[in-house]
Amino acid sequence: MAAPTGAAARAASGQPLVQLKDVNKHFGALHVLRNINLEVTKGEVVVVIGPSGSGKSTLCRAINRLETIDDGDILIDGNMLPSEGKALARLRADVGMVFQSFNLFAHKSILENVTLGPIKVKGMKPAAAKELAMGLLKRVGVDNQAHKLPAQLSGGQQQRVAIARALAMKPKVMLFDEPTSALDPEMINEVLDTMVQLAKEGMTMIVVTHEMGFARKAADRVIFMADGQIVEQATPEEFFTNPKSPRAKDFLGKILNH
Amino acid sequence: MDSLSEYFQSYLTALETYDVVAALWVNIQLTFWAGLGSLVLGTVLALMRISPVPSFRWAGAAYVNIFRNTPLTIIMVFCILVAVFQLQLNLSSDFDFNFFLWAIIGLSVYHAAFVCEAIRSGVNTVPLGQAEAARAIGLSFLPAARLIVLPQAFRGAIAPLGNTLIALTKNTTVATVASVAEAAGLMKTMIEFRPDVIMAIFATFALGFVVIVIPIGLLTTWLSKKLAVAR
Ligand SMILES: Nc1ncnc2c1ncn2[C@@H]1O[C@H](COP(=O)(O)OP(=O)(O)OP(=O)(O)O)[C@@H](O)[C@H]1O
Ligand SMILES: [Mg+2]
């Protein structure tokens, strides 16, 4: 688990873990993803940033095919994303997803939320799944809440459980779509700390977030999106201090003066 | 005072001649089996209506629109005249039991349309994110529906399902057209032969159904509160 940080890992392996080639997506007449080309290597942490409606969520959702694409290819670890059925379900398990609104299974206990995937998708024995789940819950610091229902936990705790639930599938890459923007301010850091920890352990991550602290601390690369296009990519330091495109300058000006 | 006790006496003789409780018991049995049948069929229909396959969705919607909008009496008459007499589709060699089974089928196919819509209203109480999270951990449609969406949908659908069950209970009286010896048929006979106590006969059957239906209402209200999903 204690792999080297992103940049070193990137140098080590040749093939990208996530690869998008000329991806296009429309919602009716609206062109939400325009010719997206993106490669994320193993162990890399990519932060996606951009104004509302620029297609960040759609990009995340396309990568694990919660949203279909019109044309282009999406490959996970060299495998083309299947379009339907069991093969898709299996490949989806390789891509962990953490949602803005947590989406913990409301009628299941915290522990069951984490064990469900390993038992039902991977066919793991309940006892082994429980052990795995308790380990993960401990790692995100909510093991003492294992038998409660999601609604009994704070937002920050729920989001950490959601991270544990995704990790339980042993994903190759984790997608985070604004994981802290539904949280009260005092809970944001506990979730970000968990994510920073995950990044340090070598997890490949694509994170939609406006938390610049996280980007500076954990990201190898920042991708700036606007109007469905990748407008600019750079290291966090470079992007935040010296953005190149007028769109990025304008956007950063807005969030910094906020 | 005298005439009142006389009236009561003749009412008692009517009750001795005709077994009201046995007739109502038939309605309870019809309710139970048709309730089960329509729940199973209605769940399958609801799954079809929320499935990712367009032709399933279409077929589910077509079923609901046809059966919800056809009078139950016509469905029941169809079962008897067409299925039993024309096509000779006998489910049992016992004449009465055959009609009883066909009455259950007629009640089930009709109420399944309402059960389907009740479950669908329950599905609407489940946030979309629940199904997305299920898909994101690698569950395909059926396991996601079975493990995540339907358990929550049923809890949200208990009240409308209870209403459907209450309607079903009362609608079992239509089984009389399938010549099943149930309460409405007995009431008709009793009124014909004992018009002297007609008011008391009406009251008896009305009360009988009230006694059957009220616990259903109480139970479903209690259950829907107890099982509500906390969000
Ligand atoms: N299911 C949908 N149907 C139609 N249009 C949609 C749908 N989902 C998103 N859109 C539109 O697509 C565009 C991109 O949406 P997306 O959610 O990807 O943006 P975003 O960058 O994540 O924005 P935000 O920062 O507000 O989350 C928006 O204009 C949005 O209104
Ligand atoms: Mg978004």
Side-chain angles (χ1 to χ4, degrees), chain B residues 120-133:
Chain B
R120 230 159 54 95
S121 78
V123 170
N124 288 336
T125 68
V126 184
L128 193 59
Q130 295 285 307
E132 290 191 338

PDB file of all heavy atoms in Angstrom, chain B residues 120-133:
ATOM      1  N   ARG B 120     -44.476   1.730  -7.627  1.00  0.00           N
ATOM      2  CA  ARG B 120     -43.782   2.774  -8.374  1.00  0.00           C
ATOM      3  C   ARG B 120     -43.787   4.107  -7.609  1.00  0.00           C
ATOM      4  O   ARG B 120     -42.804   4.842  -7.617  1.00  0.00           O
ATOM      5  CB  ARG B 120     -44.412   2.951  -9.741  1.00  0.00           C
ATOM      6  CG  ARG B 120     -43.377   2.923 -10.855  1.00  0.00           C
ATOM      7  CD  ARG B 120     -44.002   2.585 -12.169  1.00  0.00           C
ATOM      8  NE  ARG B 120     -45.107   3.450 -12.512  1.00  0.00           N
ATOM      9  CZ  ARG B 120     -44.994   4.530 -13.282  1.00  0.00           C
ATOM     10  NH1 ARG B 120     -43.820   4.875 -13.786  1.00  0.00           N
ATOM     11  NH2 ARG B 120     -46.040   5.266 -13.565  1.00  0.00           N
ATOM     12  N   SER B 121     -44.890   4.376  -6.925  1.00  0.00           N
ATOM     13  CA  SER B 121     -44.906   5.603  -6.106  1.00  0.00           C
ATOM     14  C   SER B 121     -43.900   5.448  -4.969  1.00  0.00           C
ATOM     15  O   SER B 121     -43.280   6.421  -4.545  1.00  0.00           O
ATOM     16  CB  SER B 121     -46.308   5.893  -5.578  1.00  0.00           C
ATOM     17  OG  SER B 121     -46.612   5.055  -4.482  1.00  0.00           O
ATOM     18  N   GLY B 122     -43.714   4.218  -4.487  1.00  0.00           N
ATOM     19  CA  GLY B 122     -42.680   3.961  -3.483  1.00  0.00           C
ATOM     20  C   GLY B 122     -41.292   4.157  -4.058  1.00  0.00           C
ATOM     21  O   GLY B 122     -40.413   4.727  -3.405  1.00  0.00           O
ATOM     22  N   VAL B 123     -41.077   3.705  -5.271  1.00  0.00           N
ATOM     23  CA  VAL B 123     -39.772   3.884  -5.923  1.00  0.00           C
ATOM     24  C   VAL B 123     -39.446   5.368  -6.032  1.00  0.00           C
ATOM     25  O   VAL B 123     -38.297   5.787  -5.860  1.00  0.00           O
ATOM     26  CB  VAL B 123     -39.750   3.216  -7.321  1.00  0.00           C
ATOM     27  CG1 VAL B 123     -38.490   3.599  -8.094  1.00  0.00           C
ATOM     28  CG2 VAL B 123     -39.829   1.701  -7.184  1.00  0.00           C
ATOM     29  N   ASN B 124     -40.482   6.181  -6.274  1.00  0.00           N
ATOM     30  CA  ASN B 124     -40.248   7.618  -6.379  1.00  0.00           C
ATOM     31  C   ASN B 124     -39.816   8.253  -5.066  1.00  0.00           C
ATOM     32  O   ASN B 124     -39.278   9.356  -5.066  1.00  0.00           O
ATOM     33  CB  ASN B 124     -41.503   8.332  -6.904  1.00  0.00           C
ATOM     34  CG  ASN B 124     -41.722   8.039  -8.371  1.00  0.00           C
ATOM     35  OD1 ASN B 124     -40.786   7.714  -9.099  1.00  0.00           O
ATOM     36  ND2 ASN B 124     -42.957   8.131  -8.816  1.00  0.00           N
ATOM     37  N   THR B 125     -40.048   7.562  -3.942  1.00  0.00           N
ATOM     38  CA  THR B 125     -39.578   8.112  -2.665  1.00  0.00           C
ATOM     39  C   THR B 125     -38.098   7.786  -2.432  1.00  0.00           C
ATOM     40  O   THR B 125     -37.495   8.302  -1.503  1.00  0.00           O
ATOM     41  CB  THR B 125     -40.376   7.559  -1.457  1.00  0.00           C
ATOM     42  OG1 THR B 125     -40.078   6.153  -1.309  1.00  0.00           O
ATOM     43  CG2 THR B 125     -41.866   7.736  -1.628  1.00  0.00           C
ATOM     44  N   VAL B 126     -37.527   6.909  -3.279  1.00  0.00           N
ATOM     45  CA  VAL B 126     -36.119   6.529  -3.115  1.00  0.00           C
ATOM     46  C   VAL B 126     -35.262   7.455  -3.983  1.00  0.00           C
ATOM     47  O   VAL B 126     -35.431   7.482  -5.192  1.00  0.00           O
ATOM     48  CB  VAL B 126     -35.890   5.062  -3.543  1.00  0.00           C
ATOM     49  CG1 VAL B 126     -34.448   4.649  -3.290  1.00  0.00           C
ATOM     50  CG2 VAL B 126     -36.838   4.140  -2.799  1.00  0.00           C
ATOM     51  N   PRO B 127     -34.353   8.214  -3.361  1.00  0.00           N
ATOM     52  CA  PRO B 127     -33.537   9.138  -4.160  1.00  0.00           C
ATOM     53  C   PRO B 127     -32.748   8.388  -5.237  1.00  0.00           C
ATOM     54  O   PRO B 127     -32.289   7.269  -5.016  1.00  0.00           O
ATOM     55  CB  PRO B 127     -32.591   9.764  -3.137  1.00  0.00           C
ATOM     56  CG  PRO B 127     -33.231   9.540  -1.816  1.00  0.00           C
ATOM     57  CD  PRO B 127     -34.033   8.285  -1.939  1.00  0.00           C
ATOM     58  N   LEU B 128     -32.581   9.032  -6.384  1.00  0.00           N
ATOM     59  CA  LEU B 128     -31.855   8.440  -7.510  1.00  0.00           C
ATOM     60  C   LEU B 128     -30.449   8.011  -7.108  1.00  0.00           C
ATOM     61  O   LEU B 128     -29.916   7.008  -7.581  1.00  0.00           O
ATOM     62  CB  LEU B 128     -31.789   9.469  -8.650  1.00  0.00           C
ATOM     63  CG  LEU B 128     -31.342   8.942 -10.009  1.00  0.00           C
ATOM     64  CD1 LEU B 128     -32.286   7.848 -10.476  1.00  0.00           C
ATOM     65  CD2 LEU B 128     -31.280  10.077 -11.012  1.00  0.00           C
ATOM     66  N   GLY B 129     -29.860   8.781  -6.177  1.00  0.00           N
ATOM     67  CA  GLY B 129     -28.500   8.482  -5.736  1.00  0.00           C
ATOM     68  C   GLY B 129     -28.341   7.084  -5.149  1.00  0.00           C
ATOM     69  O   GLY B 129     -27.257   6.505  -5.214  1.00  0.00           O
ATOM     70  N   GLN B 130     -29.420   6.517  -4.587  1.00  0.00           N
ATOM     71  CA  GLN B 130     -29.343   5.168  -4.024  1.00  0.00           C
ATOM     72  C   GLN B 130     -29.046   4.147  -5.121  1.00  0.00           C
ATOM     73  O   GLN B 130     -28.200   3.273  -4.960  1.00  0.00           O
ATOM     74  CB  GLN B 130     -30.660   4.814  -3.327  1.00  0.00           C
ATOM     75  CG  GLN B 130     -30.958   5.673  -2.117  1.00  0.00           C
ATOM     76  CD  GLN B 130     -30.113   5.291  -0.912  1.00  0.00           C
ATOM     77  OE1 GLN B 130     -30.076   4.143  -0.518  1.00  0.00           O
ATOM     78  NE2 GLN B 130     -29.408   6.258  -0.358  1.00  0.00           N
ATOM     79  N   ALA B 131     -29.762   4.262  -6.230  1.00  0.00           N
ATOM     80  CA  ALA B 131     -29.544   3.329  -7.341  1.00  0.00           C
ATOM     81  C   ALA B 131     -28.179   3.572  -7.973  1.00  0.00           C
ATOM     82  O   ALA B 131     -27.481   2.631  -8.357  1.00  0.00           O
ATOM     83  CB  ALA B 131     -30.647   3.486  -8.382  1.00  0.00           C
ATOM     84  N   GLU B 132     -27.775   4.840  -8.054  1.00  0.00           N
ATOM     85  CA  GLU B 132     -26.471   5.144  -8.656  1.00  0.00           C
ATOM     86  C   GLU B 132     -25.341   4.590  -7.806  1.00  0.00           C
ATOM     87  O   GLU B 132     -24.374   4.036  -8.325  1.00  0.00           O
ATOM     88  CB  GLU B 132     -26.315   6.655  -8.849  1.00  0.00           C
ATOM     89  CG  GLU B 132     -27.231   7.176  -9.935  1.00  0.00           C
ATOM     90  CD  GLU B 132     -26.912   8.596 -10.340  1.00  0.00           C
ATOM     91  OE1 GLU B 132     -26.280   9.321  -9.535  1.00  0.00           O
ATOM     92  OE2 GLU B 132     -27.281   8.992 -11.458  1.00  0.00           O
ATOM     93  N   ALA B 133     -25.482   4.728  -6.488  1.00  0.00           N
ATOM     94  CA  ALA B 133     -24.446   4.191  -5.606  1.00  0.00           C
ATOM     95  C   ALA B 133     -24.386   2.669  -5.730  1.00  0.00           C
ATOM     96  O   ALA B 133     -23.311   2.071  -5.700  1.00  0.00           O
ATOM     97  CB  ALA B 133     -24.721   4.598  -4.156  1.00  0.00           C
TER      98      ALA B 133
END
